[in-house]
Amino acid sequence: MAKPAERRSALAEVYSPGTYGAATPDGPGVTLAERRGLTLVHLAGEAATLNEGVRKATGHDLPITPNTVIGDDRGGALWLAPDRWLIVSAREESERLERRLAAGIGSAGAATDVSSGRTVVRIGGANARDLLAKGCPLDLHPRAFAAGHCAQSLIAQVNVLLHAVDESRVDLYVARGFGLTMWEWLTDAAAEFGCRINAPEG
Amino acid sequence: MMLIPCPWCGERAQVEFAYGGDATVKRPADPASASDREWHDYVFVRDNPKGPLDELWYHAAGCRRYFRVRRDTVTHAILASTPLPEIT
């Protein structure tokens, strides 16, 4: 079989590391970094029948509590909806994980590789949540959106999935086709806090 | 702006939702024999009650589930929010 074409970031044309926006005494309040090469598999089915196969394939369980994450940003499962999850892995190649998940769950559910369909941006810094709050109706206070939580919502009218990795870092997942729009919104909205764009991760 | 309690995601801003209309409308029991008048009523005609109303809401930007909300059309107070029964 031919090797699949190398994945190209939706932000490749505009991605330019450096420091932008306001000069603040404590340094940039926001840091942005695209997370490239992540493996994302969408999973549909009932937790009770899928969980064992998922644990066999990934080593972790499926979260049952809405809007929570089991595992972490390197390998975990994000709750999307009743009977729907996003499996994230920074360690394993997408085709391999999809195959192993599909084998693990059999005909009880569906595992679909969506890795090339999302742009993922890691937002950090003291003002990370202030930045998101400018365009997102969620309650982003760490009391309401604590580490290990995820939520789907809107930012600037665009559907997004947010994952609170810890108190100061949030991973933002957006459909690839909206990646550039979201990147332009983020970099523009972050200017008031001072913004450092780091080299892409992964 | 209302805060609507999704049965799964909790209170979320109204912009995340789409309105699904009156939850109590019944499709004609026997579609083959229903008259044009019955179809017209089912498709187009809605009450406009003042007070509590059972409505469908769709969490379009969140978990993408329909659910039932009992809302007061005068005060916008939300009296109940429940998942729809499973279709078997």
Side-chain angles (χ1 to χ4, degrees), chain A residues 37-39 57-58 74 89-94 96-97 100:
Chain A
L38 274 184
T39 287
T58 65
R74 307 280 304 160
S89 174
R91 304 185 187 99
E92 194 160 27
E93 193 191 309
S94 61
R96 227 175 90 91
L97 183 61
R100 290 205 307 154

Side-chain angles (χ1 to χ4, degrees), chain A residues 112-147:
Chain A
T112 312
D113 178 15
V114 294
S115 308
S116 57
R118 301 286 186 279
T119 292
V120 186
V121 178
R122 168 153 296 179
I123 303 162
N127 297 111
R129 287 167 187 254
D130 302 324
L131 164 66
L132 293 170
K134 287 173 75 175
C136 179
L138 282 178
D139 183 353
L140 292 161
H141 192 283
R143 198 170 46 223
F145 190 55

Side-chain angles (χ1 to χ4, degrees), chain A residues 66-67 79-82 137-138 151-154 159, chain B residues 8-9 12-13 15-16 59-65:
Chain A
N67 298 306
W79 186 96
L80 299 178
L138 282 178
Q152 293 169 101
S153 187
L154 300 164
N159 288 77
Chain B
W8 294 279
C9 304
R12 293 288 187 91
V15 290
E16 293 187 6
H59 197 185
C63 63
R64 300 184 174 84
R65 285 295 180 278

Side-chain angles (χ1 to χ4, degrees), chain A residues 53-73:
Chain A
V54 172
R55 196 187 312 140
K56 234 186 283 171
T58 65
H60 55 73
D61 291 324
L62 291 173
I64 308 300
T65 309
N67 298 306
T68 59
V69 180
I70 285 182
D72 57 29
D73 56 318

Side-chain angles (χ1 to χ4, degrees), chain A residues 179-202:
Chain A
L180 193 53
T181 303
M182 188 50 62
W183 184 253
E184 286 175 349
W185 185 87
L186 285 170
T187 49
D188 179 52
E192 66 167 299
F193 307 112
C195 174
R196 190 176 69 237
I197 298 174
N198 291 327
E201 296 176 13

